[in-house]
């Protein structure tokens, strides 16, 4: 269906976070609630992730005015993994536009795990959405540059602009994942066999593996999220990284697909767009207000951090961020008119 809204004057919904002191108190309370949850397991299918310290726990909230609140291990580096998909998607949408990327990559949830081959087979090789591996591989292949090396450069700089500092690859993770990513290579070959992948399949997987291996901190993720919350302007550096409409599109996709087959549960419990990665990070965005990031390596069965989900659920409520929550108006109703 083609929904044409050309020419419609666009306003955005507004609202503010409570003051800094309330935010800091809410973070402490959310951490106290999430800390005892030691269930779940560290990802083991990429060797360096298996070696992560399961006790690491960091939280950061970056406001759209540039204030950043941090707790715990918020400056510990880890590989960004699937959270990179959201930002590469935004960069590609910025260059190629809403319609092209919509057609090539899609926006619908597969209802299946992030690395599912069956999802491709069930959908005539269409990758379905940019947040599962198949869709992320197609998105990476669409980065407009003449060679894989230049594509990689574009991604590294672009993600760096989102977080306001130059990012580097965690070489150990990149090498380990390159040795063990047979499944992603198979997905890329399958996409190519359906004629849905631009460029050489092996080279696309290599660029994708590098993007997943970029080392970030919880604080970095919060600032990246705040950039998506702030109409594409990084609130710390002031740089316009992507347009406001690209941010809006990216967040809509995250709301329905950011936590893979658990995206429905996530939206039901948290009420905000989010994106998780298998190293243990979850980034959540409250449009117009803040980016919230949490990192803790123990994961549930779908590959989503247990503590990060809990800390975010708490913050979404205590800071009034759930986009679906409302309270009855306090304005007097004029009963005569109804
Ligand atoms: N690099 C990982 C992979 O491709 C990313 C997956 C994830 O974070 N869910 O398998």
């Amino acid at each position: 269906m083609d929904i044409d809204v050309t020419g419609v004057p666009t306003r955005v919904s507004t609202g503010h976070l409570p003051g800094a002191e309330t935010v800091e108190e809410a973070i402490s309370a959310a951490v106290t609630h999430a800390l005892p949850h030691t269930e779940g397991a560290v990802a083991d299918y990429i060797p360096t992730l298996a070696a992560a310290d399961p006790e690491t726990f960091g939280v950061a909230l970056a406001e759209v005015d540039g204030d950043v609140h941090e707790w715990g291990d918020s400056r510990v580096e880890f590989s960004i993994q699937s959270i990179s998909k959201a930002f590469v998607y935004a960069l590609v949408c910025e260059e190629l536009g809403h319609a092209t990327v919509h057609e090539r990559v899609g926006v619908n949830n597969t209802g299946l795990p992030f690395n599912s081959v069956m999802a491709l087979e069930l959908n005539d090789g269409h990758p379905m959405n940019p947040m599962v591996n198949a869709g992320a591989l197609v998105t990476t292949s669409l980065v407009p540059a003449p060679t894989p090396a230049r594509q990689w450069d574009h991604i590294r700089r672009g993600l760096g602009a989102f977080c306001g500092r130059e990012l580097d690859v965690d070489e150990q993770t990149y090498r380990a994942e390159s040795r063990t990513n047979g499944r992603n290579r198979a997905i890329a070959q399958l996409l190519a066999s359906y004629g849905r992948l631009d460029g050489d399949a092996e080279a696309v997987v290599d660029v994708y593996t590098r993007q997943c291996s970029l080392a970030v901190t919880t604080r970095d993720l919060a600032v990246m999220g705040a950039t998506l919350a702030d109409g594409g302007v990084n609130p710390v550096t002031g740089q316009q990284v992507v347009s406001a409409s690209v941010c809006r599109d990216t967040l809509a996709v995250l709301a329905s697909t950011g936590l893979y087959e658990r995206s429905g549960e996530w939206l039901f419990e948290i009420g905000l767009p989010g994106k998780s990665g298998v190293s243990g990070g979850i980034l959540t965005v409250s449009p117009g207000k803040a980016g919230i990031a949490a990192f803790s390596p123990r994961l549930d069965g779908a590959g989503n951090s247990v503590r990060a989900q809990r800390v975010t659920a708490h913050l979404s409520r205590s800071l009034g961020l759930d986009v679906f929550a409302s309270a009855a108006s306090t304005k007097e109703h004029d009963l005569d008119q109804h």
Side-chain angles (χ1 to χ4, degrees):
M1 185 170 65
D2 186 18
I3 301 177
D4 187 7
V5 287
T6 320
V8 179
T10 306
R11 296 192 178 82
V12 296
S13 67
T14 53
H16 301 283
L17 281 172
E21 206 177 307
T22 311
V23 171
E24 302 266 340
E25 280 167 17
I27 292 174
S28 303
V31 165
T32 306
H33 160 81
L35 205 55
H37 285 278
T38 54
E39 63 270 27
V42 170
D44 59 2
Y45 77 105
I46 301 173
T48 46
L49 298 188
D53 176 359
E55 284 311 323
T56 313
F57 191 19
V59 180
L61 184 151
E63 299 196 36
V64 291
D65 66 4
D67 280 352
V68 185
H69 310 273
E70 299 175 60
W71 180 90
D73 302 320
S74 57
R75 305 275 174 123
V76 168
E77 288 197 332
F78 50 91
S79 55
I80 188 169
Q81 297 299 337
S82 269
I83 300 173
S84 66
K85 292 168 178 164
F87 296 95
V88 176
Y89 179 72
L91 292 173
V92 169
C93 284
E94 182 72 20
E95 304 265 354
L96 302 187
H98 176 104
T100 306
V101 186
H102 186 172
E103 189 214 314
R104 292 290 305 268
V105 189
V107 295
N108 285 317
N109 199 301
T110 63
L112 290 165
F114 64 86
N115 56 3
S116 174
V117 172
M118 195 167 37
L120 273 177
E121 292 292 354
L122 290 174
N123 293 293
D124 194 26
H126 194 283
M128 298 301 285
N129 77 69
M131 302 303 149
V132 291
N133 290 10
L137 287 162
V138 174
T139 307
T140 296
S141 81
L142 291 175
V143 171
T147 62
R150 299 273 289 277
Q151 285 182 311
W152 165 237
D153 195 48
H154 187 80
I155 291 173
R156 194 174 69 85
R157 283 173 198 273
L159 267 59
F162 270 109
C163 78
R165 73 177 180 99
E166 192 156 316
L167 295 175
D168 286 314
V169 157
D170 171 349
E171 286 294 335
Q172 236 194 330
T173 301
Y174 166 65
R175 280 197 298 272
E177 193 165 345
S178 298
R179 278 198 308 273
T180 53
N181 62 358
R183 197 175 177 93
N184 287 340
R185 301 218 299 275
I187 290 172
Q189 294 293 353
L190 197 56
L191 284 164
S193 78
Y194 276 108
R196 295 201 188 263
L197 196 70
D198 289 356
D200 173 65
E202 291 288 316
V204 172
V205 175
D206 182 61
V207 175
Y208 166 79
T209 306
R210 285 176 197 270
Q211 90 185 37
C212 289
S213 308
L214 280 171
V216 291
T217 65
T218 310
R219 180 197 159 89
D220 288 334
L221 287 182
V223 174
M224 294 174 92
T227 305
L228 289 179
D230 191 33
V233 175
N234 180 319
V236 176
T237 64
Q239 185 186 349
Q240 178 95 47
V241 184
V242 289
S243 68
S245 69
V246 161
C247 292
R248 186 258 152 222
D249 288 355
T250 305
L251 295 180
V253 173
L254 291 188
S256 59
T257 65
L259 277 86
Y260 322 118
E261 71 275 31
R262 301 268 168 95
S263 299
E265 268 172 79
W266 170 264
L267 205 54
F268 185 62
E269 300 295 354
I270 281 93
L272 289 168
K275 181 75 205 89
S276 68
V278 280
S279 46
I282 299 186
L283 170 60
T284 307
V285 179
S286 171
K289 294 179 187 161
I292 302 169
F295 173 71
S296 173
R298 290 196 200 87
L299 312 177
D300 69 12
N304 302 317
S305 167
V306 172
R307 277 177 174 163
Q309 290 182 74
R310 289 182 182 272
V311 93
T312 313
H314 207 279
L315 287 172
S316 137
R317 280 167 182 72
S318 62
L319 294 175
L321 305 179
D322 184 335
V323 296
F324 302 110
S326 64
S329 169
T330 50
K331 268 191 263 161
E332 292 248 351
H333 289 277
D334 184 352
L335 294 175
D336 291 345
Q337 288 195 357
H338 297 287

